[in-house]
Amino acid sequence: MKFGFIGAGVVAQTLAKHLLLHGHEVMLSNSRGPETLSELVSSLGAGAKSGTPSEAAEQDYVILSVAWSQVPAALSMVPDWTGRVLIDATNRFDNMDSLGDLSEVNSSEIVAQYAPGARVIKAFNTVPMQWIQDYTEKKPKTVLFVSGDDSPTKQVFQEIWEGIGFACIDLGPLSQGGSLQQIGGPLAGLNLNFLEKFCV
């Protein structure tokens, strides 16, 4: 599969390394232009390249990994989100009052408003990247919470990341799961590893 990243910081680099080691392709982008990422994509190796946010959005999955204050500008760089799969990996840390009241809608629902027509999946935001920087086959099977409204798309996404070595847990629709995952929610910042399952 091909993954495009809007944002090229620690989140994008960490997830890109996991993807590349399992045969997927990645494209990183930022607001400054592809040429500013040449050294980074070279260090990531085969299967990695840089592009514009619009080009990153042409990939099978688009992962939004920018600071919260940059969300509107980042998503506006893609003129049409219709039908695209957008993975929201952001957290509402900074400018807490600038993008709406979370008492009615959660942060991923706000992201969806800035990407009309996109199939939004919330993932990766509950796990600090330093917890998942073991890229070996013996890495802990870290729990990855996932929520979204498009069940078939979400299922394929989960199968990909299960294959990479995560244990995915579906939290249901974006309105429900996104609230559990966002900053202040009960599942934010939990370091959970799947060890064994008792079957009856």
Side-chain angles (χ1 to χ4, degrees):
M1 303 292 283
K2 296 181 179 180
F3 284 76
F5 289 84
I6 297 181
V10 174
V11 173
Q13 293 173 41
T14 302
L15 299 180
K17 289 176 183 177
H18 282 291
L19 289 162
L20 290 168
L21 287 170
H22 288 81
H24 302 284
E25 298 179 22
V26 302
M27 175 183 286
L28 275 64
S29 71
N30 61 17
S31 61
R32 299 185 301 277
E35 65 280 355
T36 66
L37 298 171
S38 57
E39 185 175 338
L40 172 59
V41 296
S42 178
S43 69
L44 290 173
K49 58 185 176 181
S50 61
T52 65
S54 289
E55 290 171 334
E58 295 291 338
Q59 310 309 303
D60 300 314
Y61 291 87
V62 189
I63 299 180
L64 179 65
S65 56
V66 299
W68 180 252
S69 61
Q70 299 171 342
V71 166
L75 293 177
S76 71
M77 289 188 280
V78 179
D80 186 4
W81 281 100
T82 304
R84 303 182 194 275
V85 181
L86 176 62
I87 313 303
D88 176 23
T90 66
N91 274 311
R92 195 172 190 247
F93 280 123
D94 55 341
N95 295 325
M96 295 292 283
D97 298 319
S98 64
L99 290 182
D101 181 2
L102 291 188
S103 64
E104 296 296 330
V105 294
N106 62 54
S107 59
S108 287
E109 290 177 297
I110 293 174
V111 167
Q113 292 173 4
Y114 283 95
R119 291 174 283 170
V120 178
I121 296 173
K122 183 69 168 175
F124 305 118
N125 71 297
T126 63
V127 183
M129 291 297 104
Q130 61 264 35
W131 289 354
I132 60 169
Q133 290 179 342
D134 181 348
Y135 307 103
T136 68
E137 292 298 322
K138 295 182 179 180
K139 63 180 176 289
K141 201 172 181 68
T142 300
V143 170
L144 176 64
F145 295 112
V146 180
S147 59
D149 299 333
D150 188 318
S151 294
T153 300
K154 190 168 48 173
Q155 181 61 40
V156 174
F157 172 82
Q158 290 179 134
E159 290 172 358
I160 292 170
W161 288 92
E162 289 272 358
I164 290 173
F166 289 82
C168 295
I169 296 180
D170 186 352
L171 299 178
L174 201 63
S175 60
Q176 173 182 307
S179 296
L180 296 172
Q181 292 169 257
Q182 70 181 3
I183 294 299
L187 300 180
L190 293 182
N191 191 3
L192 302 176
N193 295 323
F194 178 82
L195 299 178
E196 58 183 311
K197 182 178 180 179
F198 181 75
C199 298
V200 295

